[in-house]
Amino acid sequence: MPDWFYRTVTQPLFFRLPAETARDFALGFLGRLARLPFGPAAIDFLGHMRADPRLRHTFLGIDFPTATGLGPGLDGEARALPALARFGFGFIEVGPISQAAVKTTPIRRVEAEEAIWSPDPGPGLPLAAALPRLEEASRLGLPVIARISADVDLGVVIRELAPYVQLFALDSLDPARIREAVDIAEAVSRPLLLCLPADSDPSTLPSLDTGVKGLLVDGSVAAPEGGRWTGLPARGPALSLVRALRARFGSALLVIASGGIHEPEDALAMRAAGANLVEVDSGLVYSGPGLPKRINDALLFEATRALPEPPPERAPEMTWFWTAALGGGMLFGALLALAIALTRVVLPYDEAFLGMFVHELHAINPRLLDFMAHDRVSLAGTMVAIGAMYLGLSLYGVRRGLHWAQKSIFLSASTGFASFFLFLGFGYLDAFHAFVTAVLLQLLLMGVHSRLGTYTPAVAPPLRGDRAWRRALWGQLLLVIHGAGLLGAGLTISTVGVTDVFVTQDLEFMQTTAEALTSAHARLVPLVAHDRATLGGMLLASGWVFLAPALWGFRNGSRWLWWTTLLAGGSAYAAALGIHFSVGYMSLVHLAPVFLGLAALLLGLALAREFLCAPGASRGRDRKVLSKPL
């Protein structure tokens, strides 16, 4: 559930349901999806949320991929960890783990406070249920923290869980229990942390010279009506507690903190207060599942803002050089194909394949050449869009080290080259088409085997979700639908091209039948099938190159992406609509998908314009420090 779907569609629906029902449905769906054979790949594809390697930290000998972790307040039963672990988190906390489950009052949302109310004490996760889920979590590649309830058999719980977790957090301040837990944890070579509620009085904390390696600030506070609130009400107390703990114990102890982290700004403030690592829980409910990614973007900007400019690199060694050449080649070929399709329509080798000249094709059916022009101009317009997108992504994305831009081009181009084989079943090998494909394929292969370069963010990410961001999520949703629609159109036309070749509206336009065209010349239908299959393949390639940036590339200040998408998409729709009007192919059924696609593109871009085209912020090295590594 990326933000562009969660904030626009599912959050309004979920907030109409009881909190427990909505939570169980969402986590159950995510958990089942992540356990399907291709489920993890689908989650990664939709979100592209893994943390940048430069955000890695090491504390207590444990590597954390990023300072942003998943708190236990959302998925207390650890049902969806295989999915949530792919949201850009650097560690996971599970628990509190108890001896047995205790039936309690259901949780509920307190929307006015952006909080979640839960009973005190909560139900806890029974050890028998925790074992298989922690074993599963241990295979996710992230450090796991197990929080232990105060009333458990410490020896049993710690020894049972030790193979699957990297740290333990004890939910008790009893000195005797702390000493016992430290001894058992040291015996299994696991660090022990102490867990403190956000509204704790730091003066009541016992001496930590007993082997405790760190403190974990739980992001909950006492609710006025009893029970506990997790969410915004805990933000202020948690910040104050972290400052007090850091002032009292210095920098030696590891401090992990949560409490109302609903925006990137909150995570940076918690780090500035003294937390080494931060946890997110209620923020996933109120801000959206993209919050970890947004926090990581802010952390990366802070981490790279003082770095020197990278040394110049030789262009032929870099991926962007070859992908830009690929885009330029596509664009040149598309403009040439467009000029031919608007004039003589068929080429000499088409005539040689048929053994017929243009006037003879006209004699078979007066509208045959117009129909072929309609296919070929639409194809050329699609190729113009692909070439323009490749150029924009290469010069402004891949050249800056953006992995998602590189991946978008590779995914699209691979699909396009694979589609070359669609029409071979009809026996027409277009020699010129094959030659151009072979040349362009070399450019793609050179790009694959060249270097991407290092990405350094030049524009400060927004630290709070504002009106422009929320509106842009609707625009992003429309652009995702647009890209998916192009993929659907490409798949449909490719299927038609290699099977029936013509649809009902095509035959109505030419006022003929498929049998009549087949009987007119044995090679006529294969020639048309070649055009159709090629158009379908290019639509598939364009679908990926419009969809992937819509999924992965929405960043404020990406004016270049907005203009590239507008110019590329606009040129394709102008060619398609222009040729239909020119030849009189005006079937509403046939043109409806084109109009719907154009409307989705333009409305999506209009909604996203303020966010994507925001004036660029200053380089991070000129910006005030909001957080600091500890």
Side-chain angles (χ1 to χ4, degrees):
M1 300 180 189
D3 284 347
W4 51 263
F5 190 74
Y6 178 77
R7 292 294 297 249
T8 58
V9 178
T10 55
Q11 188 189 57
L13 294 176
F14 283 165
F15 275 33
R16 293 178 179 272
L17 299 173
E20 201 147 311
T21 302
R23 181 197 64 186
D24 291 347
F25 178 85
L27 295 178
F29 173 80
L30 287 171
R32 286 189 293 271
L33 174 62
R35 293 176 178 94
L36 293 174
F38 297 101
I43 295 170
D44 286 340
F45 177 80
L46 287 174
H48 205 68
M49 295 190 287
R50 295 301 182 94
D52 189 285
R54 288 169 289 180
L55 294 179
R56 184 173 299 275
H57 296 276
T58 301
F59 298 107
L60 304 178
I62 301 168
D63 286 336
F64 296 85
T66 177
T68 310
L70 173 65
L74 183 66
D75 188 11
E77 297 181 6
R79 289 173 292 178
L81 294 185
L84 297 173
R86 296 178 176 273
F87 282 20
F89 290 115
F91 63 98
I92 299 168
E93 184 188 349
V94 177
I97 295 168
S98 58
Q99 291 291 140
V102 178
K103 194 169 184 179
T104 61
T105 307
I107 65 168
R108 61 178 186 268
R109 286 185 305 273
V110 187
E111 295 175 31
E113 301 288 341
E114 285 194 27
I116 299 171
W117 180 92
S118 59
D120 186 19
L125 180 61
L127 178 62
L131 278 170
R133 291 170 188 174
L134 284 171
E135 181 180 7
E136 180 182 53
S138 68
R139 299 192 294 268
L140 300 176
L142 299 180
V144 178
I145 303 172
R147 187 189 299 189
I148 307 171
S149 294
D151 56 352
V152 301
D153 185 327
L154 294 174
V156 171
V157 172
I158 292 177
R159 289 187 178 92
E160 289 276 358
L161 298 182
Y164 313 119
V165 305
Q166 282 67 48
L167 300 102
F168 288 100
L170 180 63
D171 210 354
S172 172
L173 296 182
D174 180 355
R177 297 290 281 171
I178 295 173
R179 182 68 262 172
E180 180 185 3
V182 166
D183 291 342
I184 300 170
E186 288 179 348
V188 295
S189 302
R190 294 290 183 269
L192 181 74
L193 314 176
L194 291 187
C195 183
L196 308 173
D199 51 0
S200 298
D201 181 353
S203 64
T204 64
L205 190 64
S207 173
L208 297 184
D209 57 359
T210 57
V212 171
K213 301 299 183 183
L215 300 168
L216 192 156
V217 176
D218 171 63
S220 69
V221 294
E225 69 274 28
R228 307 287 296 177
W229 273 354
T230 300
L232 286 192
R235 181 193 300 162
L239 281 169
S240 298
L241 180 58
V242 169
R243 291 191 191 98
L245 294 174
R246 189 57 74 189
R248 177 177 173 184
F249 296 106
S251 60
L253 284 177
L254 171 67
V255 175
I256 304 174
S258 62
I261 296 178
H262 290 189
E263 298 286 355
E265 183 178 66
D266 303 330
L268 296 184
M270 194 69 76
R271 296 250 302 157
N276 302 97
L277 305 172
V278 297
E279 291 184 346
V280 174
D281 39 42
S282 57
L284 297 178
V285 175
Y286 287 100
S287 292
L291 178 59
K293 181 178 181 178
R294 294 167 57 210
I295 293 174
N296 287 337
D297 285 345
L299 292 175
L300 182 63
F301 184 75
E302 293 285 344
T304 60
R305 71 188 205 292
L307 297 178
E309 293 290 343
E313 298 164 320
R314 293 186 64 249
E317 297 177 356
M318 308 306 295
T319 294
W320 71 265
F321 178 85
W322 299 104
T323 53
L326 174 63
M330 284 281 295
L331 194 56
F332 174 77
L335 294 174
L336 182 62
L338 183 63
I340 294 170
L342 288 172
T343 53
R344 59 174 294 144
V345 183
V346 295
L347 289 164
Y349 56 78
D350 295 324
E351 294 175 328
F353 173 72
L354 292 172
M356 302 175 68
F357 293 102
V358 171
H359 67 277
E360 294 174 282
L361 289 174
H362 184 77
I364 290 176
N365 186 296
R367 291 189 170 184
L368 179 57
L369 284 174
D370 285 343
F371 176 75
M372 293 180 67
H374 132 273
D375 265 357
R376 295 191 169 192
V377 170
S378 299
L379 168 63
T382 304
M383 292 174 60
V384 167
I386 295 171
M389 287 296 291
Y390 287 2
L391 271 175
L393 289 170
S394 298
L395 297 177
Y396 297 99
V398 182
R399 191 173 186 177
R400 296 175 179 175
L402 289 170
H403 176 259
W404 67 261
Q406 179 197 53
K407 190 174 180 180
S408 299
I409 295 174
F410 288 172
L411 179 60
S412 169
S414 299
T415 302
F417 285 117
S419 72
F420 171 80
F421 299 98
L422 285 174
F423 56 81
L424 295 183
F426 284 89
Y428 180 32
L429 177 60
D430 181 337
F432 181 71
H433 187 171
F435 171 75
V436 172
T437 300
V439 171
L440 294 179
L441 180 60
Q442 307 308 308
L443 299 178
L444 174 64
L445 294 176
M446 290 297 294
V448 169
H449 287 90
S450 298
R451 293 188 294 111
L452 174 62
T454 301
Y455 168 60
T456 301
V459 176
L463 299 182
R464 303 196 68 81
D466 57 9
R467 183 177 59 111
W469 174 70
R470 290 189 292 271
R471 186 190 301 118
L473 292 178
W474 284 99
Q476 189 176 6
L477 173 63
L478 287 172
L479 292 175
V480 168
I481 292 173
H482 171 260
L486 289 176
L487 287 174
L491 184 61
T492 301
I493 294 175
S494 297
T495 302
V496 170
V498 298
T499 53
D500 298 329
V501 183
F502 303 102
V503 296
T504 302
Q505 294 76 32
D506 299 334
L507 299 172
E508 289 175 351
F509 169 71
M510 290 186 285
Q511 299 177 356
T512 187
T513 64
E515 292 76 14
L517 293 172
T518 301
S519 61
H521 194 288
R523 291 188 169 184
L524 181 58
V525 172
L527 177 63
V528 176
H530 155 270
D531 293 345
R532 311 235 90 178
T534 306
L535 174 59
M538 290 299 98
L539 280 171
L540 287 171
S542 70
W544 287 126
V545 83
F546 280 99
L547 175 62
L551 287 172
W552 307 328
F554 257 56
R555 299 289 191 280
N556 73 310
S558 298
R559 182 187 301 268
W560 65 270
L561 180 60
W562 192 90
W563 280 106
T564 299
T565 304
L566 175 64
L567 295 175
S571 62
Y573 284 108
L577 290 174
I579 192 61
H580 279 84
F581 279 97
S582 177
V583 302
Y585 192 168
M586 299 301 295
S587 167
L588 182 59
V589 173
H590 185 72
L591 286 176
V594 182
F595 284 115
L596 288 174
L598 178 59
L601 175 71
L602 295 181
L603 182 56
L605 288 173
L607 290 170
R609 186 178 185 279
E610 184 180 358
F611 180 73
L612 289 182
C613 296
S618 63
R619 290 284 299 178
R621 61 175 61 93
D622 301 323
R623 198 165 149 263
K624 180 183 177 182
V625 178
L626 292 181
S627 69
K628 56 183 178 180
L630 295 169

